mmCIF file with all atom_site columns, all heavy atoms in Angstrom:
data_model
loop_
_atom_site.group_PDB
_atom_site.id
_atom_site.type_symbol
_atom_site.label_atom_id
_atom_site.label_alt_id
_atom_site.label_comp_id
_atom_site.label_asym_id
_atom_site.label_entity_id
_atom_site.label_seq_id
_atom_site.pdbx_PDB_ins_code
_atom_site.Cartn_x
_atom_site.Cartn_y
_atom_site.Cartn_z
_atom_site.occupancy
_atom_site.B_iso_or_equiv
_atom_site.pdbx_formal_charge
_atom_site.auth_seq_id
_atom_site.auth_comp_id
_atom_site.auth_asym_id
_atom_site.auth_atom_id
_atom_site.pdbx_PDB_model_num
ATOM 1  N N   . ALA A 1 26 ? -6.950  16.002 -19.289 1.00 0.00 ? 26 ALA A N   1
ATOM 2  C CA  . ALA A 1 26 ? -6.041  17.070 -18.867 1.00 0.00 ? 26 ALA A CA  1
ATOM 3  C C   . ALA A 1 26 ? -6.661  18.437 -19.109 1.00 0.00 ? 26 ALA A C   1
ATOM 4  O O   . ALA A 1 26 ? -6.453  19.381 -18.330 1.00 0.00 ? 26 ALA A O   1
ATOM 5  C CB  . ALA A 1 26 ? -4.713  16.935 -19.612 1.00 0.00 ? 26 ALA A CB  1
ATOM 6  N N   . ALA A 1 27 ? -7.443  18.553 -20.185 1.00 0.00 ? 27 ALA A N   1
ATOM 7  C CA  . ALA A 1 27 ? -8.092  19.833 -20.483 1.00 0.00 ? 27 ALA A CA  1
ATOM 8  C C   . ALA A 1 27 ? -9.107  20.185 -19.398 1.00 0.00 ? 27 ALA A C   1
ATOM 9  O O   . ALA A 1 27 ? -9.237  21.358 -19.006 1.00 0.00 ? 27 ALA A O   1
ATOM 10 C CB  . ALA A 1 27 ? -8.770  19.759 -21.847 1.00 0.00 ? 27 ALA A CB  1
ATOM 11 N N   . MET A 1 28 ? -9.826  19.182 -18.903 1.00 0.00 ? 28 MET A N   1
ATOM 12 C CA  . MET A 1 28 ? -10.784 19.433 -17.824 1.00 0.00 ? 28 MET A CA  1
ATOM 13 C C   . MET A 1 28 ? -10.072 19.926 -16.564 1.00 0.00 ? 28 MET A C   1
ATOM 14 O O   . MET A 1 28 ? -10.527 20.865 -15.899 1.00 0.00 ? 28 MET A O   1
ATOM 15 C CB  . MET A 1 28 ? -11.565 18.154 -17.500 1.00 0.00 ? 28 MET A CB  1
ATOM 16 C CG  . MET A 1 28 ? -12.502 17.684 -18.584 1.00 0.00 ? 28 MET A CG  1
ATOM 17 S SD  . MET A 1 28 ? -13.352 16.171 -18.051 1.00 0.00 ? 28 MET A SD  1
ATOM 18 C CE  . MET A 1 28 ? -14.205 15.718 -19.568 1.00 0.00 ? 28 MET A CE  1
ATOM 19 N N   . ARG A 1 29 ? -8.949  19.296 -16.249 1.00 0.00 ? 29 ARG A N   1
ATOM 20 C CA  . ARG A 1 29 ? -8.223  19.677 -15.032 1.00 0.00 ? 29 ARG A CA  1
ATOM 21 C C   . ARG A 1 29 ? -7.674  21.101 -15.151 1.00 0.00 ? 29 ARG A C   1
ATOM 22 O O   . ARG A 1 29 ? -7.729  21.874 -14.196 1.00 0.00 ? 29 ARG A O   1
ATOM 23 C CB  . ARG A 1 29 ? -7.091  18.685 -14.771 1.00 0.00 ? 29 ARG A CB  1
ATOM 24 C CG  . ARG A 1 29 ? -7.577  17.269 -14.475 1.00 0.00 ? 29 ARG A CG  1
ATOM 25 C CD  . ARG A 1 29 ? -6.427  16.382 -14.012 1.00 0.00 ? 29 ARG A CD  1
ATOM 26 N NE  . ARG A 1 29 ? -6.832  15.001 -13.870 1.00 0.00 ? 29 ARG A NE  1
ATOM 27 C CZ  . ARG A 1 29 ? -7.467  14.494 -12.811 1.00 0.00 ? 29 ARG A CZ  1
ATOM 28 N NH1 . ARG A 1 29 ? -7.798  15.289 -11.812 1.00 0.00 ? 29 ARG A NH1 1
ATOM 29 N NH2 . ARG A 1 29 ? -7.784  13.211 -12.763 1.00 0.00 ? 29 ARG A NH2 1
ATOM 30 N N   . ARG A 1 30 ? -7.149  21.439 -16.345 1.00 0.00 ? 30 ARG A N   1
ATOM 31 C CA  . ARG A 1 30 ? -6.631  22.794 -16.533 1.00 0.00 ? 30 ARG A CA  1
ATOM 32 C C   . ARG A 1 30 ? -7.750  23.822 -16.453 1.00 0.00 ? 30 ARG A C   1
ATOM 33 O O   . ARG A 1 30 ? -7.599  24.885 -15.854 1.00 0.00 ? 30 ARG A O   1
ATOM 34 C CB  . ARG A 1 30 ? -5.904  22.891 -17.876 1.00 0.00 ? 30 ARG A CB  1
ATOM 35 C CG  . ARG A 1 30 ? -4.560  22.187 -17.914 1.00 0.00 ? 30 ARG A CG  1
ATOM 36 C CD  . ARG A 1 30 ? -3.758  22.633 -19.130 1.00 0.00 ? 30 ARG A CD  1
ATOM 37 N NE  . ARG A 1 30 ? -4.464  22.324 -20.376 1.00 0.00 ? 30 ARG A NE  1
ATOM 38 C CZ  . ARG A 1 30 ? -4.321  21.185 -21.055 1.00 0.00 ? 30 ARG A CZ  1
ATOM 39 N NH1 . ARG A 1 30 ? -3.510  20.231 -20.587 1.00 0.00 ? 30 ARG A NH1 1
ATOM 40 N NH2 . ARG A 1 30 ? -4.974  20.981 -22.185 1.00 0.00 ? 30 ARG A NH2 1
ATOM 41 N N   . ALA A 1 31 ? -8.875  23.514 -17.051 1.00 0.00 ? 31 ALA A N   1
ATOM 42 C CA  . ALA A 1 31 ? -9.999  24.454 -17.042 1.00 0.00 ? 31 ALA A CA  1
ATOM 43 C C   . ALA A 1 31 ? -10.526 24.666 -15.630 1.00 0.00 ? 31 ALA A C   1
ATOM 44 O O   . ALA A 1 31 ? -10.851 25.795 -15.232 1.00 0.00 ? 31 ALA A O   1
ATOM 45 C CB  . ALA A 1 31 ? -11.110 23.937 -17.954 1.00 0.00 ? 31 ALA A CB  1
ATOM 46 N N   . ALA A 1 32 ? -10.604 23.592 -14.857 1.00 0.00 ? 32 ALA A N   1
ATOM 47 C CA  . ALA A 1 32 ? -11.089 23.717 -13.478 1.00 0.00 ? 32 ALA A CA  1
ATOM 48 C C   . ALA A 1 32 ? -10.136 24.556 -12.638 1.00 0.00 ? 32 ALA A C   1
ATOM 49 O O   . ALA A 1 32 ? -10.559 25.323 -11.760 1.00 0.00 ? 32 ALA A O   1
ATOM 50 C CB  . ALA A 1 32 ? -11.265 22.338 -12.859 1.00 0.00 ? 32 ALA A CB  1
ATOM 51 N N   . GLY A 1 33 ? -8.841  24.437 -12.915 1.00 0.00 ? 33 GLY A N   1
ATOM 52 C CA  . GLY A 1 33 ? -7.874  25.222 -12.164 1.00 0.00 ? 33 GLY A CA  1
ATOM 53 C C   . GLY A 1 33 ? -7.863  26.681 -12.563 1.00 0.00 ? 33 GLY A C   1
ATOM 54 O O   . GLY A 1 33 ? -7.603  27.555 -11.733 1.00 0.00 ? 33 GLY A O   1
ATOM 55 N N   . ALA A 1 34 ? -8.156  26.969 -13.837 1.00 0.00 ? 34 ALA A N   1
ATOM 56 C CA  . ALA A 1 34 ? -8.127  28.350 -14.318 1.00 0.00 ? 34 ALA A CA  1
ATOM 57 C C   . ALA A 1 34 ? -9.355  29.126 -13.856 1.00 0.00 ? 34 ALA A C   1
ATOM 58 O O   . ALA A 1 34 ? -9.244  30.242 -13.337 1.00 0.00 ? 34 ALA A O   1
ATOM 59 C CB  . ALA A 1 34 ? -8.024  28.368 -15.838 1.00 0.00 ? 34 ALA A CB  1
ATOM 60 N N   . ASP A 1 35 ? -10.540 28.564 -14.071 1.00 0.00 ? 35 ASP A N   1
ATOM 61 C CA  . ASP A 1 35 ? -11.784 29.249 -13.692 1.00 0.00 ? 35 ASP A CA  1
ATOM 62 C C   . ASP A 1 35 ? -12.844 28.195 -13.411 1.00 0.00 ? 35 ASP A C   1
ATOM 63 O O   . ASP A 1 35 ? -13.538 27.740 -14.329 1.00 0.00 ? 35 ASP A O   1
ATOM 64 C CB  . ASP A 1 35 ? -12.236 30.185 -14.814 1.00 0.00 ? 35 ASP A CB  1
ATOM 65 C CG  . ASP A 1 35 ? -13.369 31.106 -14.377 1.00 0.00 ? 35 ASP A CG  1
ATOM 66 O OD1 . ASP A 1 35 ? -14.074 30.756 -13.402 1.00 0.00 ? 35 ASP A OD1 1
ATOM 67 O OD2 . ASP A 1 35 ? -13.548 32.168 -15.002 1.00 0.00 ? 35 ASP A OD2 1
ATOM 68 N N   . PRO A 1 36 ? -12.987 27.772 -12.166 1.00 0.00 ? 36 PRO A N   1
ATOM 69 C CA  . PRO A 1 36 ? -13.921 26.679 -11.850 1.00 0.00 ? 36 PRO A CA  1
ATOM 70 C C   . PRO A 1 36 ? -15.355 26.963 -12.280 1.00 0.00 ? 36 PRO A C   1
ATOM 71 O O   . PRO A 1 36 ? -16.037 26.067 -12.785 1.00 0.00 ? 36 PRO A O   1
ATOM 72 C CB  . PRO A 1 36 ? -13.815 26.559 -10.322 1.00 0.00 ? 36 PRO A CB  1
ATOM 73 C CG  . PRO A 1 36 ? -12.520 27.180 -9.975  1.00 0.00 ? 36 PRO A CG  1
ATOM 74 C CD  . PRO A 1 36 ? -12.282 28.260 -10.982 1.00 0.00 ? 36 PRO A CD  1
ATOM 75 N N   . GLU A 1 37 ? -15.808 28.196 -12.106 1.00 0.00 ? 37 GLU A N   1
ATOM 76 C CA  . GLU A 1 37 ? -17.200 28.506 -12.435 1.00 0.00 ? 37 GLU A CA  1
ATOM 77 C C   . GLU A 1 37 ? -17.438 28.448 -13.940 1.00 0.00 ? 37 GLU A C   1
ATOM 78 O O   . GLU A 1 37 ? -18.457 27.913 -14.409 1.00 0.00 ? 37 GLU A O   1
ATOM 79 C CB  . GLU A 1 37 ? -17.553 29.894 -11.902 1.00 0.00 ? 37 GLU A CB  1
ATOM 80 C CG  . GLU A 1 37 ? -19.029 30.213 -11.946 1.00 0.00 ? 37 GLU A CG  1
ATOM 81 C CD  . GLU A 1 37 ? -19.860 29.264 -11.097 1.00 0.00 ? 37 GLU A CD  1
ATOM 82 O OE1 . GLU A 1 37 ? -19.340 28.761 -10.074 1.00 0.00 ? 37 GLU A OE1 1
ATOM 83 O OE2 . GLU A 1 37 ? -21.027 29.009 -11.472 1.00 0.00 ? 37 GLU A OE2 1
#
Side-chain angles (χ1 to χ4, degrees):
M28 292 180 187
R29 296 189 186 278
R30 287 195 300 269
D35 190 338
E37 191 61 30

